[in-house]
Amino acid sequence: MRDVFSLYSKKVMEHFKNPRNVGEMENPDGIGHVGNPICGDIMELYIKVKNEIIVDAKFKTYGCGAAIATSSMVTELVKGKTVDEALKISNRAVAEALGGLPPVKLHCSLLAEEALKSAIDDYFKKQGAKR
Amino acid sequence: MKRIYLDYAATTPTAPEVVEAMLPYFTDRFGNPSSIHSFGQEGKAAIEEAREKIANLIGAKQEEIIFTSGGTESNNSALKGVAYANQHKGNHIITTPLEHHAIIEPCNFLEKSGFKVTYLPVDKDGLLNPEEVKKAITTKTILISAMHANNEIGTIEPIAEIGRIARERDIYFHTDAVQTFGHLPINVDELNVNLLSISAHKLCGPKGMGALYVKKGTRMVSFMHGGEQERRRRASTENVPGIVGFGKAVEIAEEKMEEEAKELTILRDKLIKGIFEKIDHVCLNGHPTKRLPNNINVSIEFVEGESMLLNLDMEGIAASTGSACSSSSLEPSHVLLSLGLSPELAHGSLRFTLGRYTKEEEIDYVLEILPKIVDKLRSMSPLYKKAS
């Protein structure tokens, strides 16, 4: 039974209402920047990595309810994971963790996956530069 | 939680008086108007009474009103009906980029069957220029369709002038008056239209009910075949309760229209002014004065429309947006893009449409809640950081 009629699942609305890990990060080890204003979604994801483990993640997102909720969820999912483990997080996993997304909104979860990959790429590049 | 409905352009609540008028036609007076017995004739009389009310409100003759299932059918019927009946004269149709999908998509359909469609240019406020209509007309032009007022941005178009140009050249002229009928005065002779689409649920009437005005002598093919109803122009057993409800809604609208328009204009302007005072980086979409009395459409920079809608909904406020993310396509509103708005601004659009039951306190509530929502979303927007 649904007490409130809503486009999204309870979990999505909960993350939309109280997004986790919003904000910028000082001296991040990796930054992911994906999306564009033309399709209405832009996501910035920051990660802090210690000994190959993602110890903190933050985001800033311009976009719809699904974009904000998936951003919030992906930051929750990556924290505590190794970089390699994090690379395996798929858009489907993010959507599932949110109790599903309406079919027309699945592309938003793809954005979250891409933001994460882009942030990790950036981390690898920075690591390479240090070496 | 109290709920505030500010999406009257999408649909309106059915007025209690309308529901009351409809009820007997579901039960006691259920007859088929085509039947010759008293049950049937009772229904037939009710239909004709409603038809008269509608015809009177737009200065038409009763036999020029065809009942339909709604604005979409009226528009489809007008465009395809006129196009197919007049293709021996030409295959060119002129319309505007502001039209509802119920015009654009029939046009796309007609293009696939050999018709050519020209879309007129619009200015930044969504206003059409009748001079452009003159330029677009060719010897092949058989039909011009331009909406009376736009559902998204509320701009009211110079329909009478466009109609005059069409009439002088003997070209059929159709207008989609779904957003204006029952809200602004309409006279089909003054507007110089041959066809005019209207819908019941935009003026506190029932859903699934509309009508098409067809000027006597207009050549068009029927949209529905299968019976004698509506002088063979639209087969199907009449939706008697719907028609009765439509008639009642029109009766009430006729009585309240002038006063409602005045009151709504005051509330509209209060909301627009309040938004501009309380939120920075905002722009108004649509014409500032040639505008529906109930329409507010603003673009709020650095935030996306759907996330504003969801936040408003959580506070009990129902509004609308032209952002893509609220639909299955990723393209933002074609209307907003046609004004030359950037995709970002189109995604950040928010529409409030007021109506009969809107109260001033509700406007005050929106003005209290909306700035907080915008602040919250901007604080998490990567675009805002770059702009500030």
Side-chain angles (χ1 to χ4, degrees):
Chain A
M1 280 289 284
R2 306 209 289 185
D3 47 352
V4 177
F5 289 93
S6 162
L7 173 65
Y8 294 117
S9 71
K10 257 189 178 160
K11 194 94 193 223
V12 172
M13 284 312 289
E14 208 271 306
H15 272 263
F16 175 72
K17 213 169 170 175
N18 303 301
R20 281 50 150 187
N21 312 308
V22 179
E24 284 161 56
M25 187 183 276
E26 288 202 6
N27 308 316
D29 296 311
I31 305 175
H33 184 103
V34 293
N36 66 64
I38 294 165
C39 39
D41 286 317
I42 296 175
M43 203 177 280
E44 272 182 15
L45 187 67
Y46 312 87
I47 52 170
K48 179 79 77 193
V49 183
K50 262 188 197 142
N51 304 324
E52 293 298 300
I53 291 169
I54 299 174
V55 291
D56 198 11
K58 284 198 175 299
F59 80 92
K60 276 202 147 185
T61 291
Y62 160 87
C64 65
I68 290 171
T70 52
S71 306
S72 166
M73 183 50 89
V74 82
T75 57
E76 286 284 274
L77 290 176
V78 296
K79 277 204 253 178
K81 291 209 165 54
T82 65
V83 174
D84 284 343
E85 283 166 347
L87 274 173
K88 286 182 195 135
I89 295 174
S90 67
N91 73 309
R92 198 171 303 150
V94 180
E96 272 168 21
L98 284 167
L101 283 172
V104 296
K105 296 291 186 178
L106 278 172
H107 70 275
C108 295
S109 60
L110 207 59
L111 201 71
E113 181 190 318
E114 284 167 4
L116 176 60
K117 297 225 154 90
S118 157
I120 294 173
D121 263 2
D122 185 51
Y123 162 74
F124 283 145
K125 265 182 215 149
K126 282 177 179 159
Q127 290 300 105
K130 276 182 200 168
R131 275 171 202 154
Chain B
M1 184 174 63
K2 69 172 172 183
R3 295 202 297 170
I4 296 177
Y5 185 77
L6 297 176
D7 201 11
Y8 276 77
T11 193
T12 61
T14 313
E17 307 92 299
V18 169
V19 176
E20 203 185 321
M22 290 170 74
L23 285 176
Y25 291 89
F26 287 103
T27 51
D28 294 347
R29 306 179 197 164
F30 62 87
N32 184 328
S34 296
S35 305
I36 58 164
H37 47 61
S38 69
F39 291 86
Q41 293 307 305
E42 187 172 47
K44 190 171 180 179
I47 290 179
E48 295 316 316
E49 199 188 313
R51 199 189 305 278
E52 191 182 353
K53 285 177 193 165
I54 294 166
N56 286 345
L57 189 58
I58 60 173
K61 298 183 191 74
Q62 250 173 276
E63 63 269 26
E64 293 175 318
I65 304 297
I66 303 174
F67 286 116
T68 67
S69 63
T72 298
E73 185 189 323
S74 297
N75 284 342
N76 269 270
S77 202
L79 263 61
K80 295 176 195 167
V82 168
Y84 286 125
N86 296 280
Q87 51 187 334
H88 61 284
K89 290 202 288 184
N91 68 344
H92 183 228
I93 297 165
I94 299 172
T95 189
T96 85
L98 305 168
E99 302 301 310
H100 190 273
H101 284 119
I103 293 287
I104 306 260
E105 288 183 24
C107 281
N108 293 343
F109 171 83
L110 287 167
E111 275 184 308
K112 282 182 199 144
S113 34
F115 290 89
K116 302 262 182 278
V117 181
T118 299
Y119 290 89
L120 296 167
V122 296
D123 76 4
K124 63 173 184 27
D125 295 325
L127 207 58
L128 295 164
N129 178 356
E131 288 305 311
E132 297 289 344
V133 180
K134 283 186 194 167
K135 280 192 227 164
I137 291 171
T138 73
T139 53
K140 299 267 188 200
T141 308
I142 52 170
L143 174 65
I144 300 171
S145 180
M147 71 202 317
H148 192 195
N150 183 268
N151 50 310
E152 288 186 43
I153 57 173
T155 300
I156 301 170
E157 302 296 346
I159 290 308
E161 287 161 61
I162 298 171
R164 194 173 311 120
I165 293 164
R167 185 150 296 178
E168 281 164 9
R169 289 157 181 80
D170 219 11
I171 297 165
Y172 287 128
F173 181 45
H174 165 258
T175 191
D176 174 350
V178 163
Q179 292 294 335
T180 50
F181 176 69
H183 301 289
L184 296 177
I186 290 177
N187 181 291
V188 289
D189 289 331
E190 285 169 19
L191 291 183
N192 300 308
V193 291
N194 299 85
L195 304 112
L196 179 135
S197 300
I198 58 178
S199 167
H201 76 107
K202 309 290 190 187
L203 52 136
C204 302
K207 291 174 184 64
M209 196 61 235
L212 178 65
Y213 157 79
V214 182
K215 191 180 170 66
K216 208 175 165 206
T218 302
R219 287 177 62 99
M220 66 184 290
V221 298
S222 297
F223 193 58
M224 299 263 270
H225 304 95
E228 303 278 334
Q229 294 89 355
E230 302 297 285
R231 302 170 155 241
R232 295 196 70 84
R233 291 175 301 184
R234 202 269 186 184
S236 179
T237 299
E238 297 88 340
N239 172 4
V240 183
I243 292 171
V244 168
F246 196 1
K248 186 69 189 178
V250 167
E251 186 188 314
I252 300 169
E254 185 164 18
E255 187 192 309
K256 297 195 174 186
M257 193 159 68
E258 207 183 322
E259 203 186 324
E260 253 176 35
K262 268 186 209 152
E263 289 169 3
L264 291 176
T265 303
I266 294 168
L267 293 181
R268 175 195 77 185
D269 293 344
K270 177 174 184 174
L271 184 48
I272 293 173
K273 191 166 168 262
I275 290 173
F276 274 80
E277 278 170 8
K278 294 184 171 210
I279 305 170
D280 55 16
H281 292 89
V282 182
C283 67
L284 180 71
N285 298 319
H287 198 280
T289 54
K290 289 173 186 164
R291 185 179 195 95
L292 287 171
N294 75 330
N295 175 293
I296 294 101
N297 188 318
V298 290
S299 278
I300 302 180
E301 283 188 68
F302 322 118
V303 287
E304 190 275 336
E306 191 207 86
S307 49
M308 284 192 278
L309 284 195
L310 289 171
N311 274 294
L312 286 167
D313 194 35
M314 290 191 293
E315 303 291 341
I317 301 166
S320 162
T321 175
S323 177
C325 255
S326 64
S327 69
S328 50
S329 77
L330 290 181
E331 290 278 305
S333 147
H334 67 281
V335 172
L336 296 176
L337 294 180
S338 77
L339 308 183
L341 241 67
S342 66
E344 295 98 302
L345 281 177
H347 281 296
S349 73
L350 201 54
R351 180 189 74 177
F352 298 98
T353 43
L354 324 180
R356 183 170 299 161
Y357 308 106
T358 304
K359 292 181 181 57
E360 190 169 7
E361 303 93 86
E362 297 178 329
I363 302 299
D364 294 335
Y365 183 64
V366 171
L367 286 171
E368 180 197 322
I369 298 294
L370 182 63
K372 292 179 193 164
I373 290 172
V374 172
D375 276 352
K376 180 185 167 185
L377 290 172
R378 279 182 176 169
S379 75
M380 61 173 94
S381 168
L383 296 176
Y384 192 52
K385 166 188 73 181
K386 272 162 198 156
S388 56

